[in-house]
Amino acid sequence: MKTLKYSIIVMLSVIILYSCDSSFLDEELKSNYSPENTLKDSLGLEAAIVGLQASVREQYTLGEPQGLLAIFQNGTDVTVQGNFQGVETPFSNYATLNAQSEGVSFFWTWAYKVINNANQIIYYANDESLPLSEKGRNSFLAEAKFFRAYAYNFLATLYGGVPLITEPIDKPKTDFTRASVRDVNDLIIDDLTFAVANLPRVGSVKIEGRINKGAAQHLLAEVYIRDNKPDLAEQQCKDLIGSGDFNLITARYGVKKDAPGDPFSDMFIYGNQRRRQGNKEALWVIEQEYNVPGGSANANDQHRRIWVAAYYQISGMKIADSLGGRGIGRIRLTYWVTNKLYAANDMRNSKYNIHRDFYYNDPANANYGKKINPAPGDTLFKLCPYTTKWNHFIPADEFGYGVFKDHIRMRLGETYLLLAEAQFMQSKFTEAAESINVLRTRAHADQVQASDITLDFILDERVRELIGEENRRMTLARTKTLVSRVKALNFQANNTIQDYNMLLPIPQSERNLNKDAVLDQNPGYQ
Amino acid sequence: MIKFITLIRYLTVYSLFMIASLQVLAQGKEVKGLVTSSDNQPIPGVSIVIKGTTSGTSTDSNGNYTLTVPDNEAILVYSFIGFATQEKRVGEDAVLNITMTEQLNTLQEIVVVGYGTQKREDITGSVSSVPKERLAQLPVTNVLHAMEGTTAGVYITQNSSAPGSSASVLVRGVNSITANTSPLIVVDGVPFSNMGGTTNDINPNDIESIEILKDASAVAIYGTRGSSGVILITTKRGKSGKPSIRYNTYAGMEYMHHTITPLKGAAYSQKYLDYSKQRNQTPNDPPVPNQYEFANYLAGKETDWIDAVSQQGYIQDHNLSISGGTESVKYFVSGAYQKQQGVLKGYEFKRASFRSNLDVNITPWLSAGTSLFYANNDYGGGSVNLTLATQMSPYGIMYDKNGNYEIYPMRPELLYKNPLLGLNRDEVNKSNNLNGTFYIDIEPTFLRGLKYKLNTNYSYLPTKFATYSGLAAGQTTGGAASINNSETSSWLVENILFYEKDLGKHHIDLTGLYSAQETNFFTSTINANTFINDGLSYNGVDAGAVATVNNTSRSNVRPYRTALLSQMGRVNYSFGGKYLLTLTARRDGYSAFGSSTSKYGFFPSVALGWNVSEESFLKNIEAINNLKLRVSYGRTGNQAVGAYQTITSQGTTKYIYNGKTYTGVVSSSMQVNGRLGNSDLNWETTTGTNVGVDFTVLDQRISGTVEVYKTKTKDLLLLRQLPNISGYTSILDNLGAVDNKGIEVTLRTVNLKSGKFTWSSNINYGANRNKIVSLYGDNKDDIGNKWFIGKPLRAVYDYRLEGVWQNGEDASKIDPGAKPGDLKFYDKTGDGKITSDDREYLGSGLPKWTGGIINTFDYGNLHLSIFIQTFQGAVVTNSMLNTGDQTGRINTPSQLGYWTEENKSNTRPSLAYTNPRGYAYPVKQDYTRIKDITLSYTFPQSTLGRIGLGGLTAYISGRNLYTFTDWVGWDPENDYNSSLDFTGNNYPYVASYVMGLNINLK
């Protein structure tokens, strides 16, 4: 009997002891990386830079809501709503723009996610115990600071002073307050000054596609202009142009150099956009590629769908490579852009760069080959002129929900425009005219004189050069010209825009969630 | 080794002793007899015990028994679940035939309570048993569907009728916001849902009983997994006697229950014209949006796409079981096959399952057994898309000139593909559950009343999913394949000690538990695309030009390990069967709790019961057969933290440099989110009180239970939204508190009894009030998350719809930018402007009350049961009403309607409305449903004898027969998150009609 009792006790004890192993309840993270176990050497930091750039790419490449990209063009001087989706409507009808408008919070969120990723890298790279050389440490810091400055510049330009976060958040925080624009600008300038000093020149980056000194100089110049330091901006532009690392594209090149076209249009052809592909003008290219892992954020980049017209909705028209694939014309160029802006001889207005005329292309159609005479209403989004910069056609993907072109985020052409702006601000009108004439020479357009130079002229020239590329809302907000130019040039938004619309509202959801402090709303928004 | 030899020696000695005692017994007298029910059916498995001893036997499959008794004074006790226990003195007779009477009074019923069983009359907590008739003769593939609406305080929602879909369950409201609120499902003592099993793995025919533990006293023994209630499922086991072979089968048809009808030709064309006008666009001529529609429009040829994707649904079920045994070995073995073909083409569900439950009495002090089962669920292959079918133009082109499905029926519209393309998608979707439980019971003879049980379980659940879409399935880009495999393996070891002791009128019952459990999950996914041709389907995934691999399951779960270590103790004490006391305590340690915590939670409870009717002052009152009061108080938890959620982590992402792929880590991005960890994260704690009355009155004509309860859950695991300024959008945190209080009534009545006719009812009613008590401790609402202090969870917070702006009305002041045809909202703040502050609380998605009534009519062997279920007081958003910006491009349900200048609708907006304020269209979800009607006939024994059967019941049953509701859309119960959007898919609610047979071989 005793033995049985004993056996039971032994049996119980064995099971209990087995279960009582002290590590039984310990948890070891095995299915994800964490900052602590990853950002501890150069391999981890390299991976974090890749992740950071992937998060930066998401700015303009995600698909939902589909009309999002249009908010930076509609309600400015360059485009109006075409076949709209809805999310962009408040930005054309400013009476409906409010702190709940989805576009307002989407990009705000994007920017702070990038900032957090950059802060993680800066925080860990600054850890002296990490096995990094001084140069290696500074190169990680410089890259992270560049992108942090890029995101803060986006916020400061569109929203004004915003909460300033410089270290990764490690616990919930709900008492953010807005910093002054001054403080935000100081951080951006600090970051970019460090980046300019420590980033490699474009020829010596670790891998082509990593950020380089030229991009930092270009961004710093833009920030200096916004911060009313035109002399410093001019210096950055001149250093960059003078470095000889980049040059304007003035001759045909690339995959379609023998097809009809011009040097300007060559830059925007899939396969031509990167430096290695011959584009020596590009300072910073955000890469995308069809059907390559990592080739896009989520394969949903909406650029073609917003910019390219829905010509195939006309009977007798089919989707064509030469017409840029399947757009849906969510936005269309304003009358000012299509009819007033360009001189006829301007290369940037060539049929390779602005598509204007349509010809029936369905062989089954009786009018095949004939030019279409648009019916009233057809030019709203089906047969409206459009920039060809987002033309893209992949035969396997006719529907083409997403576009896979690279984004030339910065190029030397714009550097000349920033230079001109900085010179104009210092009343160096002759120099400003010279800077602009560099671009006009390339475009075979008429030269301008010092007397032609005004802020509006520079802003016009930016459209000629950068339509489809620049975030027009940022440019007009930066130069405080949004309201005046919309009133003059945008028939759709001119009646509803008011002075306070120069800045976007602070997202209401953020204000609600930030329960322990007040995030002041920008004046005019409720 | 020495111990083993000692054991053998002991066994030998013990066996000799046993033989000796049998010889003593053998000197008595042999009695035999037949035990039958009141309708003369023999009852197998009736337990017959000589009173005051443990010796006895049970009836064989024909209801016969033989037993040797010491003398004529012996009293035999006959007992069987569902029948009144009888005692009979042996007397002079050698044949004792007994007729058992069915018992409405369920007090003697043995109820499974978790780590043991109890008599109903001894229960102090809130334990509901699912009515037995709900477990048979119903055409359901999932046992939860059978339970829907039958038990007070248990809300079961069948989210989809698609073959193989499960249901969601809430017990007594929602006591968590972000954590899982499904009850823990325990099958034969094994925490099944906790180990990866789904209710689809359980063959409903194998189930003997289902109990639902609801109050803190009943669930506290499940510690950190108890707070959402516990469902205990017990499968059938063998009884001694001749083998009993049963074959149960049914087959029948399924139909769409509640359908919507897309606009027909003329109305569709008119909608396009109206859309063009309202959006200031020039319409095409002919007036249809797309070129491909022109020809059919001009020819007047229309397609009914709903008809094209539909088919006759059917369901069939076969179930064979063999059970029986001897005194020492009892077995229950079953095999089942079920097949359901959906009402939409391609939808299918098949389940094959086997079960073997074995109990072996090795020696008088040692018994052991197993519960083994295997289930294979096959969720079918490629299927049609009903959402697309409702969106297709009636003039769209179904077939191309080669007779294949036209990929884009409304070309040049390329967003909406042919709804039938999915039929050409190769797909396999299977899950398996291989599950084995082994137990040993040791009841040492030196200490009567002591029992030790070792319960062990291992489960292995592999799943396989593979899909391939080629050109025929609409994949124009060269084929796309996706394969996902996963496996979940778990083990469980439980050591349970029981001790039972009677001391005079005192009865004491002790239970102690020490257990450990571990679950490991692994998964991998391969996606590949761009194949040479479609010949290899998913079997040639390595031929894809582009392949990506990840470790994420189809529901986005990454590999993990969790472990649980627990101790539990329980004391049941009763005095004279009148006063009852239950004390329990459980301590649970769970691996996923934050590293800064102890990882252990402690959950005590106390419950008291008073069988008032046993008191002398009530004993003589004829009208009251039974009256019992119960009260309980206790604490339970919700562990619900997933593995690794307390640790700050990063996601991985990919980027290209010069076209070459690099992998990166990212803490926060719009696409891939890392997590902000919280090392203080702990369980949620629910403290609750339950007061109940059980009664049986009027000569057992009416019995029932009324319970009221109040629970408070604090330290809620909230996925708390953070300002995005943080870089993170949310963090899991222990915050806030919610209250639930409610009342539950269950009534069983015999309404009419006259001769062979009986009409009885089973009524249940449950009302629950849920409210948020606190959130962040600052008494502020969280508008961003729609959490409002003092209001229920699942709040609908939106504008109050006043109507639609009409021509001539001036919106410019109150809602600048609004055009005629836009929705008009109520200016709640009265400041003359519509702003976000005008939104208000409009209701909650939680029902105010639910109920069900089962009416049963018996006439002789004829049995009719009618079950009506109701769901009242919930407000939810109806995404069917929110057509977004797509109304001009697709067909819409004719039930929707839209504003025009002429019809001046005051409920629906114009087709140009873009919903700039994100109005979500809240509506009432109320419905009342005739859930099922079953008519069955049990053939009399006299007939059956001639055809050589032991028993035969035939029935017809209809399910989801009619629904009373104001809901617009497929069905109020189905939870369609997808709007009229190309990404979602719908499945209609289904009505079924079946015929079935339950055959018992002799």
Side-chain angles (χ1 to χ4, degrees), chain B residues 524-764:
Chain B
S524 61
T525 299
I526 305 170
N527 296 304
N529 65 49
T530 317
F531 291 84
I532 300 163
N533 60 36
D534 298 332
L536 299 184
S537 186
Y538 46 73
N539 300 307
V541 68
D542 56 346
V546 182
T548 55
V549 183
N550 64 56
N551 277 101
T552 306
S553 76
R554 295 178 66 217
S555 53
N556 229 2
V557 179
R558 297 181 66 78
Y560 66 79
R561 168 193 179 269
T562 57
L564 188 70
L565 201 56
S566 313
Q567 300 100 46
M568 187 277 286
R570 176 171 58 199
V571 179
N572 285 324
Y573 166 79
S574 77
F575 180 79
K578 280 189 218 169
Y579 310 107
L580 311 165
L581 167 72
T582 304
L583 296 171
T584 71
R586 177 150 181 151
R587 185 168 171 265
D588 269 337
Y590 177 48
S591 61
F593 293 140
S595 57
S596 308
T597 71
S598 75
K599 298 209 174 196
Y600 276 96
F602 181 68
F603 305 95
S605 84
V606 56
L608 296 166
W610 180 22
N611 277 319
V612 190
S613 48
E614 295 292 307
E615 298 286 353
S616 50
F617 58 83
L618 274 186
K619 274 226 155 150
N620 296 326
I621 301 178
E622 288 275 320
I624 299 174
N625 308 104
N626 172 56
L627 180 66
K628 179 165 133 192
L629 301 178
R630 293 180 278 114
V631 57
S632 72
Y633 178 79
R635 187 195 292 167
T636 57
N638 187 346
Q639 69 187 26
V641 189
Y644 317 133
Q645 288 188 329
T646 64
I647 304 174
T648 296
S649 63
Q650 292 175 305
T652 57
T653 183
K654 289 186 167 64
Y655 189 74
I656 48 170
Y657 293 122
N658 234 335
K660 186 164 179 271
T661 306
Y662 287 80
T663 298
V665 291
V666 66
S667 287
S668 49
S669 96
M670 304 299 280
Q671 292 270 294
V672 188
N673 256 329
R675 175 182 284 118
L676 180 57
N678 180 352
S679 63
D680 295 323
L681 210 58
N682 248 326
W683 55 92
E684 299 178 345
T685 305
T686 299
T687 312
T689 311
N690 186 77
V691 177
V693 181
D694 300 321
F695 57 89
T696 310
V697 296
L698 301 177
D699 196 18
Q700 318 246 355
R701 286 288 283 266
I702 299 174
S703 72
T705 298
V706 177
E707 288 184 288
V708 293
Y709 61 88
K710 187 173 187 336
T711 64
K712 178 170 189 158
T713 309
K714 63 182 175 68
D715 298 335
L716 290 179
L717 283 174
L718 290 187
L719 190 63
R720 170 182 160 198
Q721 299 289 308
L722 294 176
N724 294 340
I725 302 164
S726 327
Y728 299 95
T729 50
S730 59
I731 185 172
L732 207 53
D733 208 347
N734 289 112
L735 291 165
V738 292
D739 267 5
N740 281 283
K741 58 184 176 187
I743 179 164
E744 290 162 5
V745 179
T746 306
L747 276 181
R748 290 172 294 272
T749 60
V750 179
N751 305 324
L752 196 63
K753 193 160 185 171
S754 157
K756 289 167 94 178
F757 181 75
T758 310
W759 169 31
S760 55
S761 300
N762 187 328
I763 301 163
N764 77 79

Side-chain angles (χ1 to χ4, degrees), chain A residues 361-391:
Chain A
N361 66 355
D362 182 353
N365 191 281
N367 295 318
Y368 178 65
K370 289 187 187 154
K371 187 172 173 182
I372 302 177
N373 187 21
D378 283 352
T379 54
L380 287 176
F381 65 89
K382 295 177 187 169
L383 296 176
C384 49
Y386 55 87
T387 171
T388 60
K389 284 175 181 169
W390 293 105
N391 281 15

Side-chain angles (χ1 to χ4, degrees), chain A residues 198-475:
Chain A
N198 289 285
L199 282 176
R201 291 167 63 171
V202 70
S204 8
V205 290
K206 284 179 193 160
I207 317 159
E208 191 185 314
R210 292 281 282 267
I211 209 68
N212 63 73
K213 178 180 178 179
Q217 289 175 306
H218 179 97
L219 182 57
L220 182 54
E222 182 190 313
V223 175
Y224 275 141
I225 291 172
R226 183 167 59 77
D227 201 26
N228 201 21
K229 297 187 175 94
D231 51 332
L232 297 175
E234 182 182 5
Q235 194 53 51
Q236 289 299 328
C237 293
K238 283 188 165 164
D239 285 356
L240 169 53
I241 293 165
S243 71
D245 288 346
F246 306 94
N247 56 265
L248 293 188
I249 297 294
T250 53
R252 300 297 310 276
Y253 78 99
V255 293
K256 292 201 173 161
K257 69 170 190 262
D258 299 324
D262 49 43
F264 193 79
S265 68
D266 279 344
M267 263 195 291
F268 304 99
I269 288 168
Y270 184 63
N272 278 3
Q273 297 174 288
R274 300 173 193 159
R275 186 174 178 87
R276 189 171 295 190
Q277 292 165 345
N279 185 1
K280 297 288 193 292
E281 184 169 334
L283 305 175
W284 173 20
V285 176
I286 290 179
E287 290 188 18
Q288 299 199 97
E289 197 156 320
Y290 180 63
N291 226 352
V292 169
S296 74
N298 65 355
N300 290 345
D301 182 351
Q302 294 291 296
H303 274 90
R304 173 181 47 211
R305 284 161 59 96
I306 74 154
W307 285 99
V308 175
Y311 56 84
Y312 54 89
Q313 290 190 19
I314 297 293
S315 203
M317 291 296 289
K318 299 189 93 167
I319 292 168
D321 184 352
S322 59
L323 294 175
R326 183 176 179 277
I328 55 178
R330 291 218 183 273
I331 65 179
R332 74 171 188 277
L333 298 171
T334 55
Y335 179 78
W336 169 68
V337 174
T338 55
N339 293 48
K340 301 276 191 189
L341 183 65
Y342 288 103
N345 59 344
D346 194 324
M347 183 193 290
R348 298 167 297 191
N349 186 32
S350 76
K351 64 179 177 180
Y352 309 110
N353 292 303
I354 305 278
H355 188 91
R356 293 167 184 274
D357 297 328
F358 297 86
Y359 298 84
Y360 290 105
N361 66 355
D362 182 353
N365 191 281
N367 295 318
Y368 178 65
K370 289 187 187 154
K371 187 172 173 182
I372 302 177
N373 187 21
D378 283 352
T379 54
L380 287 176
F381 65 89
K382 295 177 187 169
L383 296 176
C384 49
Y386 55 87
T387 171
T388 60
K389 284 175 181 169
W390 293 105
N391 281 15
H392 186 35
F393 182 77
I394 294 166
D397 183 21
E398 182 185 358
F399 178 67
Y401 188 74
V403 66
F404 294 88
K405 288 179 95 166
D406 296 334
H407 288 206
I408 304 172
R409 186 55 45 81
M410 293 175 181
R411 61 182 169 90
L412 198 65
E414 190 189 12
T415 314
Y416 281 101
L417 288 160
L418 291 174
L419 175 60
E421 200 175 327
Q423 290 162 332
F424 161 79
M425 289 166 79
Q426 301 170 75
S427 303
K428 298 176 177 173
F429 300 118
T430 311
E431 289 92 328
E434 279 169 18
S435 300
I436 282 180
N437 280 335
V438 176
L439 296 178
R440 296 184 74 87
T441 303
R442 185 254 297 266
H444 304 314
D446 297 340
Q447 300 289 293
V448 295
Q449 312 304 317
S451 58
D452 295 326
I453 300 300
T454 62
L455 181 59
D456 276 329
F457 184 86
I458 293 168
L459 291 170
D460 293 354
E461 190 68 20
R462 285 186 68 95
V463 178
R464 291 182 198 107
E465 184 73 21
L466 298 172
I467 183 71
E469 293 176 80
E470 76 171 327
N471 181 323
R472 188 62 176 172
R473 182 173 293 278
M474 278 180 75
T475 300

